[in-house]
Amino acid sequence: MNIATLLEDSSLKRSKHIAIRFEDRELDYKSLYELSGRFAMGLKKLGFKKGDRCVLMLQNCPEFVIAYYAIARLGGVVIPINFLFKVHELTHIFDDARPKAFIGMHPFLDEAASVLKDRPYVTLKIALNYKNQEGFLDYYSNFDQELAKMEEASNDDTFAILYTSGTTGVPKGAQLTHGSLSSNAVTVAEMRQTDPEDIVLGVLPLYHVYGQTSAMNSSIYLGLTIHLFRQFDPDKVLDAIEAYSSTILIAVPTMFNRLLIRAEERGLKRSSIRYSVSGGASLPVEVLQRFQERFQTVIYEGYGLTESSPVC
């Protein structure tokens, strides 16, 4: 099953429900699905086809989600990477994965541009927040009026290559399939008790598999709203926790600790967190207990690794 089917199904079931809330923007499920399809058609007309690889180097934003599902829709392979990577890290990834396409964003293009100028096999280069960068196409000039059709994908077809550090040597590209990513997202979603009006606080970076599966793909499958944060800001997250009526927080231990410290500093008017999920590292018991008491919630700890898509 093509993982983009998760978005297609929710666009049919919850077309007018808000899929992504980001700063001053909102996208409902129908709009998100159509934008992804139009972006996919734009990529297709530029020569991107099934099996081609694309590096996705964006901060959290709706454009990440649109591009992620557009690449899936075409049967392409996405390589999400940290937008702060430097030349030596990018050189290894590009030479190892040999992508056909690159999607990045201003103001995080300088390092990538330095690497790309000597990589002629990257024939398609796209920039979000375009600032007349030489050799790049503007992200928003790439949308077509038509929607690309969904390419068939078997469960064993690779959809994502995620670079993860092993115990020795350079980071290795773990090849994750449509089937493994989809089934992991569905399993995670069905383990949780959710309400259709729950808001998922999207504080995890989407370039990481934890953010992709636990925050993005599982929420898209359930048709929930993701309140997406460009980057983790304790005050903005606390504002959202106080403003909404029912939220789900999926985070790493350092985030729980920083939210707890900030809540104790400024006070907390109310907590809307029904439950939280912690992963990525061990959560100190003291932080867990104090957070649960302060926010009147429960934290579930999980374990995963990139190679398992990732939740175990």
Side-chain angles (χ1 to χ4, degrees):
M1 179 187 80
N2 190 316
I3 195 171
T5 304
L6 301 182
L7 175 57
E8 182 179 51
D9 289 347
S10 287
S11 74
L12 296 172
K13 296 173 184 175
R14 309 202 76 191
S15 62
K16 296 302 181 183
H17 191 75
I18 299 301
I20 297 175
R21 186 168 287 131
F22 177 77
E23 297 176 351
D24 60 349
R25 300 161 60 191
E26 290 184 343
L27 285 176
D28 61 31
Y29 271 94
K30 180 181 179 182
S31 299
L32 180 61
Y33 174 74
E34 291 180 350
L35 285 170
S36 182
R38 290 174 55 202
F39 191 72
M41 181 58 84
L43 290 175
K44 185 175 182 178
K45 288 186 175 180
L46 288 169
F48 192 84
K49 61 186 185 300
K50 185 172 183 176
D52 285 342
R53 297 174 175 180
C54 178
V55 166
L56 190 57
M57 189 175 169
L58 302 177
Q59 279 184 301
N60 283 6
C61 57
E63 290 79 9
F64 183 105
V65 185
I66 290 166
Y68 183 92
Y69 284 107
I71 294 164
R73 192 184 185 104
L74 293 175
V77 179
V78 68
I79 307 168
I81 61 174
N82 190 333
F83 57 91
L84 295 176
F85 273 176
K86 301 301 182 184
V87 166
H88 70 281
E89 295 161 311
L90 295 171
T91 297
H92 165 65
I93 290 172
F94 277 98
D95 287 346
D96 188 61
R98 297 187 68 83
K100 180 175 185 175
F102 168 84
I103 302 174
M105 69 187 301
H106 181 83
F108 307 106
L109 283 175
D110 289 348
E111 299 287 325
S114 177
V115 174
L116 287 168
K117 64 181 174 60
D118 297 321
R119 305 292 182 291
Y121 52 79
V122 185
T123 57
L124 176 57
K125 293 173 280 189
I126 295 171
L128 177 63
N129 303 331
Y130 182 70
K131 303 293 182 183
N132 295 317
Q133 285 92 353
E134 184 177 352
F136 289 86
L137 300 174
D138 174 39
Y139 185 100
Y140 274 103
S141 69
N142 195 57
F143 286 81
D144 198 80
Q145 292 303 307
E146 297 180 62
L147 275 65
K149 75 177 185 68
M150 182 90 68
E151 291 287 342
E152 291 186 7
S154 75
N155 285 339
D156 291 333
D157 285 345
T158 297
F159 167 56
I161 300 176
L162 300 177
Y163 279 81
T164 179
S165 295
T167 54
T168 59
V170 295
K172 314 299 191 297
Q175 298 186 65
L176 307 182
T177 65
H178 283 269
S180 63
L181 284 163
S182 297
S183 63
N184 203 255
V186 171
T187 299
V188 166
E190 293 183 347
M191 284 170 58
R192 299 174 183 164
Q193 295 181 351
T194 56
D195 182 275
E197 300 307 312
D198 283 339
I199 307 293
V200 175
L201 300 172
V203 297
L204 294 170
L206 296 181
Y207 62 75
H208 193 278
V209 68
Y210 184 20
Q212 285 170 50
T213 292
S214 291
M216 182 174 70
N217 290 334
S218 61
S219 301
I220 295 290
Y221 165 73
L222 290 167
L224 300 180
T225 297
I226 306 169
H227 184 127
L228 195 58
F229 295 86
R230 186 182 298 274
Q231 57 194 20
F232 177 69
D233 181 318
D235 280 306
K236 290 181 179 179
V237 177
L238 288 174
D239 289 344
I241 290 169
E242 292 176 339
Y244 289 122
S245 59
S246 182
T247 58
I248 299 168
L249 175 63
I250 305 166
V252 296
T254 54
M255 292 176 176
F256 286 106
N257 191 45
R258 288 182 64 192
L259 285 170
L260 179 60
I261 292 170
R262 193 70 188 104
E264 290 174 342
E265 289 173 345
R266 78 174 214 181
L268 185 69
K269 297 175 184 175
R270 60 183 298 274
S271 174
S272 62
I273 304 176
R274 287 211 298 112
Y275 64 85
S276 300
V277 178
S278 179
S282 178
L283 181 64
V285 174
E286 181 190 359
V287 175
L288 183 147
Q289 292 174 342
R290 287 172 56 208
F291 190 95
Q292 289 185 150
E293 182 178 353
R294 168 68 66 172
F295 288 86
Q296 292 298 292
T297 188
V298 61
I299 298 177
Y300 299 106
E301 283 198 271
Y303 169 78
L305 69 163
T306 300
E307 294 86 343
S308 63
S309 297
V311 181
C312 293

